[in-house]
Amino acid sequence: MNIDIGNALLDDATPGLRTDRLETLDEQVADAHERIADGRARDEFGYAALNLPETTDPDGIREACGDFEDSEAVLTVGIGGSALGAATITEAIGDGTAHYVLDNVDPAQTESVLAALDFTETAVHVVSRSGTTAETLSNFLLVREAMADDGVDWTERTIVTTGDSGPLRSLAETHNLPVLEVPAGVPGRFSALSTVGLVPAVITGCDIEALLAGGKSGAESLSPSLFDCPAYAYGAVAYALDQQGAGANVMMPYAEGLEAFAEWFAQLWAESLGKAGMGQTPVRALGATDQHSQLQLYRAGPRDKMVTLLRPARREPLTIPETDIEALEYLGGTDLGEVLDAEFEATEASLAEAGCPNVRIEFDRLDAHSLGRLLYDMEAACILAGELYGVDTFTQPAVEWGKRAARGLLGAKETEEAQAVTNKRTRRIE
Amino acid sequence: MNIDIGNALLDDATPGLRTDRLETLDEQVADAHERIADGRARDEFGYAALNLPETTDPDGIREACGDFEDSEAVLTVGIGGSALGAATITEAIGDGTAHYVLDNVDPAQTESVLAALDFTETAVHVVSRSGTTAETLSNFLLVREAMADDGVDWTERTIVTTGDSGPLRSLAETHNLPVLEVPAGVPGRFSALSTVGLVPAVITGCDIEALLAGGKSGAESLSPSLFDCPAYAYGAVAYALDQQGAGANVMMPYAEGLEAFAEWFAQLWAESLGKAGMGQTPVRALGATDQHSQLQLYRAGPRDKMVTLLRPARREPLTIPETDIEALEYLGGTDLGEVLDAEFEATEASLAEAGCPNVRIEFDRLDAHSLGRLLYDMEAACILAGELYGVDTFTQPAVEWGKRAARGLLGAKETEEAQAVTNKRTRRIE
């Protein structure tokens, strides 16, 4: 993986980094790296995520998946970090085995997923660290019912990934289910390269050893200078541009297989860095599609954003047929990937020309090794940025208020937050 | 449809609208409404979009779709506004008939869509106003080839929607294809309720007459005061909050079927209003899923955003089974939709409590009439906002530079923009 920050250094970019700013930033990176290396060495909460390529046991995961490796489909029941990493991996490099995800509590969606599945051929992966996540457990109860309706013994088709105690752990032990542990020191959004992300990966035929090897190459690339470390260069540049006004960070992969990756990144960035009045707003986009949707704003709108452009250096060949339609003759015989790459470069230059800072991330090709490296490097970039902001990267305290309110509304227990909900100020226009 | 702006008026919201600001805003709305009504009366470019519920001919669309109504799948070949409206409609209210979309030039994606389709049972809808859009025509040439490989006569399975001249128009006439007209005065992002959006809608069993009737009810609701018109209230509040610092607008439907709608909205908002250094950055989110991803940032991050929360008042029932798992007993017997609604209200209150302005949009249920109304009202809101910003809502000049660069890179003709691409400043970190 490499990163090109040339278009964030433009003299006329707004915001843009001057060369002397890079030098002072590099000193901050050296300090932050020391803190990160220390956290990794002690396997501290959160920093432990950067040790996953070493600590994750692929053999144990393959063993738990056992007979499920031949399933026709896998269903992940989980939400947020319990689902996004897995979805990112299977979408990008899965072998085509269907991966369904129940990561919401929309009755129409749950019903349509349950109706689509043949449970006799489906592996169900239920993921919740606490074993009590309301959305996940609601769906899981419905899944069990649907399996019973199909005459399938749910205990035969379910893998559990959870913490070392809680209702899901007890359930797994009672029914002797294959059970894996959510690594203790790793927040959900950093768990893609653990049991959480790798179970569906195994079932959809991904090379999880190569994913972890890619992660390892990221770990080996961490160094005290941003000039030698793509991950830190990304985190530092994003942070510095934000300080100068780039409050939004558009993540725009030029590869359909990375659409879920952009979502994964959005969670990583928002939930880790959105604290104490700080944090970039991650904006998901997809090249070239969103050139016809968002580019007008990026180029001509407020100077409050940076754009991250991402692509593989190599793609599968697919030649556009020759045509006798005159206006289209120039396309005939061209590789479709060349069209996409021309759009990529045109967009990048178009942003630069307008003074909108942008960063290019490239990797060899969209395979397990590159993806493992990409996920690892973005996590390292995020942790580095968290050090520079001075926030607690690994917690998400602001989510708790809403959780208590929802639990109160659902009658789990009385909460004052639920009371606050009923005091809503209303001004309705019909 | 109704809109509740109570949580944008909070005294302690940042930014937040004071009651006296609403009054002056209402005067601006009255002027803007006059301009809009005038534009509609003259069927002026862009404003004509608000006349579509009257001017679109559903019978003509049904006739063009003819035998294709029974197809097992429909493939849209188009990009940006030529695809997003259609995808929004079929995802939200389609009958389950598969709707594939080729709206990118990623070889892996195009290949996988072509491999998945049985062309003997698929209707192909190719959409490009000019008939020369490089991405769309590249894909269409590949689709024709794949049909030939499958022994399918492409002229038997293709519907064309295009302008009144150009290569696609000629092709349709030469081969006597069913051909529909992209309405002349309507930019792509405003064309969901025209031929562009409604062909796939017909083939996937949508009630397009009810969609248009919903649009009509939106048209009838337009009035000179934001206090009487939900669409204008939304556009005016979003504009005013942006003026006070809400540079991002998070569109967060609590309905999986509206995931594509959030994308459609993002194009509408970004491409229409992103001009002259102004325009909110639309951010797509999905409730309740993204509470576990983005909410930390919205609640604790910078005060530079507003959140739009959207939901149907009624959902399909789906009861969570009773359970003897102690920690989950409170969920048993609850309707899954109640869980989602509790999350909705908890998030809304959580944002308000933290001083993050938010707006609630509600409609009866996710059906054709409500969706038509929703699409229409968002378009009217956008046009109203454009009047308040004083921008040219209906053009997208900033996209042109990149298009010329791409065409130059692909050898269609020499362009100076293509030359600029090769002068890129590079600072690569590996």
Side-chain angles (χ1 to χ4, degrees):
Chain A
M1 208 189 86
N2 70 73
I3 173 167
D4 181 349
I5 60 171
N7 278 352
L9 307 178
L10 301 173
D11 300 328
D12 50 0
T14 316
L17 303 182
R18 289 166 40 139
T19 309
D20 54 351
R21 176 73 184 105
L22 267 192
E23 297 299 334
T24 58
L25 201 55
D26 196 42
E27 290 166 26
Q28 294 174 277
V29 167
D31 291 345
H33 172 67
E34 202 169 316
R35 174 71 191 91
I36 292 169
D38 195 50
R40 285 183 64 200
R42 297 163 191 260
D43 226 24
E44 278 180 50
F45 182 74
Y47 300 99
L50 295 181
N51 295 334
L52 282 176
E54 295 291 347
T55 55
T56 297
D57 170 22
D59 298 338
I61 294 170
R62 287 201 182 276
E63 199 187 312
C65 293
D67 306 334
F68 298 119
E69 286 204 38
D70 296 329
S71 299
E72 280 178 13
V74 54
L75 169 66
T76 292
V77 186
I79 192 164
S82 296
L84 274 173
T88 298
I89 293 169
T90 62
E91 179 184 293
I93 59 165
D95 65 3
T97 304
H99 182 198
Y100 293 84
V101 179
L102 282 177
D103 63 350
N104 205 346
V105 280
D106 182 316
Q109 168 75 357
T110 295
E111 196 137 34
S112 103
V113 168
L114 295 180
L117 285 171
D118 173 1
F119 281 108
T120 60
E121 301 292 342
T122 300
V124 174
H125 186 218
V126 54
V127 189
S128 165
R129 183 193 303 270
S130 65
T132 61
T133 313
E135 295 93 332
T136 300
L137 275 297
S138 297
N139 277 320
F140 184 56
L141 292 173
L142 283 158
V143 167
R144 289 206 309 179
E145 185 181 55
M147 291 170 106
D149 290 349
D150 277 9
V152 174
D153 179 353
W154 71 273
T155 65
E156 299 280 318
R157 309 276 334 152
T158 303
I159 306 173
V160 168
T161 296
T162 189
D164 60 9
S165 65
L168 268 185
R169 170 68 63 175
S170 310
L171 199 70
E173 287 170 355
T174 305
H175 297 281
N176 206 22
L177 310 179
V179 58
L180 289 160
E181 182 130 353
V182 179
V186 179
R189 58 190 175 275
F190 290 92
S191 69
L193 295 177
S194 77
T195 51
V196 176
L198 298 184
V199 168
V202 164
I203 297 169
T204 59
C206 301
D207 183 346
I208 63 170
E209 291 77 9
L211 272 163
L212 292 169
K216 253 173 231 164
S217 83
E220 284 155 16
S221 79
L222 299 184
S223 86
S225 168
L226 73 88
F227 300 111
D228 300 323
C229 175
Y232 287 166
Y234 184 72
V237 166
Y239 161 78
L241 288 174
D242 182 16
Q243 297 298 101
Q244 290 179 231
N249 184 348
V250 179
M251 177 53 76
M252 192 169 187
Y254 275 66
E256 286 264 344
L258 291 177
E259 203 167 5
F261 164 79
E263 254 184 88
W264 172 87
F265 173 84
Q267 179 189 21
L268 180 75
W269 218 248
E271 207 164 37
S272 301
L273 306 175
K275 278 152 199 173
M278 298 184 290
Q280 284 183 317
T281 300
V283 178
R284 295 173 260 153
L286 182 69
T289 307
D290 282 332
Q291 292 174 210
H292 295 256
S293 161
Q294 306 296 308
L295 189 57
Q296 169 69 35
L297 171 73
Y298 302 159
R299 200 170 132 95
R303 287 287 165 259
D304 61 355
K305 51 188 80 66
M306 62 178 279
V307 180
T308 305
L309 301 159
L310 191 67
R311 72 168 169 184
R314 290 188 289 161
R315 307 179 189 272
E316 297 304 310
L318 183 61
T319 308
I320 302 169
E322 301 288 350
T323 176
D324 55 2
I325 304 170
E326 198 181 344
L328 310 176
E329 274 174 357
Y330 76 99
L331 293 170
T334 305
D335 194 274
L336 194 66
E338 277 179 53
V339 180
L340 187 52
D341 284 324
E343 305 269 3
F344 178 99
E345 286 159 31
T347 296
E348 181 184 56
S350 149
L351 293 168
E353 200 261 352
C356 175
N358 59 85
V359 166
R360 178 199 284 204
I361 298 177
E362 279 179 321
F363 49 89
D364 183 38
R365 59 191 310 140
L366 191 47
D367 60 15
H369 193 280
S370 290
L371 182 65
R373 174 68 188 264
L374 178 64
L375 295 173
Y376 189 94
D377 275 12
M378 288 296 114
E379 292 180 18
C382 179
I383 294 171
L384 184 278
E387 301 295 335
L388 300 179
Y389 283 107
V391 295
D392 189 349
T393 308
F394 305 112
T395 59
Q396 51 284 337
V399 180
E400 297 307 321
W401 196 99
K403 279 193 189 172
R404 285 192 298 273
R407 275 200 292 269
L409 292 174
L410 290 169
K413 58 177 172 185
E414 280 187 36
T415 65
E416 58 183 280
E417 290 84 358
Q419 187 52 45
V421 171
T422 62
N423 296 334
K424 176 178 163 14
R425 175 168 176 169
T426 296
R427 177 76 186 255
R428 189 173 293 137
I429 292 145
E430 318 202 33
Chain B
M1 207 189 84
N2 69 73
I3 174 168
D4 181 349
I5 61 171
N7 278 350
L9 308 178
L10 301 173
D11 300 327
D12 49 1
T14 315
L17 302 182
R18 288 165 40 138
T19 309
D20 54 352
R21 175 73 184 104
L22 267 193
E23 297 299 333
T24 58
L25 202 55
D26 196 43
E27 290 167 26
Q28 294 175 279
V29 168
D31 291 344
H33 173 67
E34 202 170 316
R35 173 71 190 91
I36 292 169
D38 195 50
R40 285 182 65 200
R42 298 164 191 261
D43 226 23
E44 279 180 49
F45 181 74
Y47 300 99
L50 295 181
N51 294 334
L52 281 177
E54 295 290 347
T55 55
T56 296
D57 169 23
D59 298 337
I61 294 170
R62 288 203 182 274
E63 197 186 314
C65 292
D67 306 334
F68 297 118
E69 286 204 40
D70 297 328
S71 299
E72 280 179 13
V74 53
L75 169 65
T76 292
V77 186
I79 193 165
S82 296
L84 273 173
T88 298
I89 293 169
T90 63
E91 180 184 293
I93 58 166
D95 63 5
T97 304
H99 182 197
Y100 292 84
V101 179
L102 283 176
D103 62 350
N104 205 347
V105 279
D106 182 318
Q109 168 75 359
T110 295
E111 196 136 35
S112 103
V113 168
L114 296 181
L117 285 171
D118 173 0
F119 281 108
T120 60
E121 300 292 342
T122 300
V124 174
H125 185 218
V126 55
V127 189
S128 165
R129 183 194 302 270
S130 66
T132 61
T133 312
E135 294 93 333
T136 300
L137 276 297
S138 297
N139 277 320
F140 184 56
L141 292 173
L142 284 158
V143 167
R144 289 205 310 179
E145 185 181 55
M147 292 170 106
D149 290 349
D150 277 7
V152 174
D153 179 351
W154 71 273
T155 65
E156 301 279 318
R157 309 275 335 151
T158 304
I159 306 173
V160 169
T161 296
T162 189
D164 59 9
S165 64
L168 268 184
R169 171 67 62 174
S170 309
L171 200 69
E173 286 170 355
T174 305
H175 298 280
N176 206 21
L177 309 180
V179 58
L180 289 160
E181 182 129 355
V182 179
V186 179
R189 58 190 173 277
F190 289 92
S191 69
L193 295 178
S194 78
T195 51
V196 176
L198 298 184
V199 168
V202 164
I203 297 170
T204 60
C206 302
D207 183 346
I208 63 171
E209 290 78 9
L211 272 163
L212 292 169
K216 252 172 233 166
S217 83
E220 284 155 15
S221 79
L222 299 184
S223 85
S225 169
L226 72 88
F227 300 111
D228 300 324
C229 174
Y232 287 164
Y234 184 72
V237 166
Y239 161 79
L241 288 173
D242 182 17
Q243 298 297 102
Q244 290 179 231
N249 184 348
V250 178
M251 176 53 75
M252 191 169 188
Y254 275 65
E256 286 264 344
L258 291 177
E259 204 167 6
F261 164 79
E263 255 185 87
W264 172 87
F265 173 83
Q267 179 190 21
L268 180 75
W269 218 247
E271 207 163 38
S272 301
L273 306 175
K275 278 152 198 173
M278 298 183 290
Q280 282 183 318
T281 300
V283 178
R284 295 173 260 153
L286 182 68
T289 308
D290 283 331
Q291 292 174 210
H292 295 255
S293 161
Q294 305 297 308
L295 189 58
Q296 169 68 37
L297 171 73
Y298 302 159
R299 197 169 135 94
R303 288 287 166 257
D304 61 355
K305 51 188 79 66
M306 61 178 279
V307 180
T308 305
L309 301 159
L310 190 67
R311 72 167 170 185
R314 290 188 290 161
R315 306 179 190 273
E316 296 304 310
L318 183 61
T319 308
I320 302 170
E322 301 288 350
T323 175
D324 54 3
I325 304 171
E326 198 182 342
L328 310 176
E329 274 173 356
Y330 76 100
L331 292 170
T334 305
D335 194 275
L336 195 66
E338 276 178 52
V339 181
L340 187 51
D341 284 324
E343 305 268 3
F344 177 100
E345 285 159 31
T347 295
E348 180 183 59
S350 149
L351 293 168
E353 199 262 351
C356 176
N358 59 86
V359 165
R360 178 199 284 204
I361 299 177
E362 279 179 321
F363 49 90
D364 183 40
R365 59 191 311 140
L366 191 47
D367 60 15
H369 193 280
S370 290
L371 182 66
R373 174 67 188 264
L374 178 64
L375 296 172
Y376 189 94
D377 275 12
M378 289 296 114
E379 293 179 18
C382 180
I383 294 171
L384 184 277
E387 301 294 334
L388 299 180
Y389 282 108
V391 295
D392 189 349
T393 308
F394 305 112
T395 59
Q396 52 284 336
V399 180
E400 297 307 320
W401 195 100
K403 279 193 188 171
R404 284 192 297 272
R407 276 200 290 269
L409 292 173
L410 289 169
K413 56 179 173 184
E414 279 187 37
T415 65
E416 59 183 281
E417 290 84 357
Q419 188 53 45
V421 172
T422 62
N423 296 334
K424 175 179 162 17
R425 176 167 175 172
T426 297
R427 178 74 185 257
R428 188 173 294 137
I429 293 145
E430 316 201 34

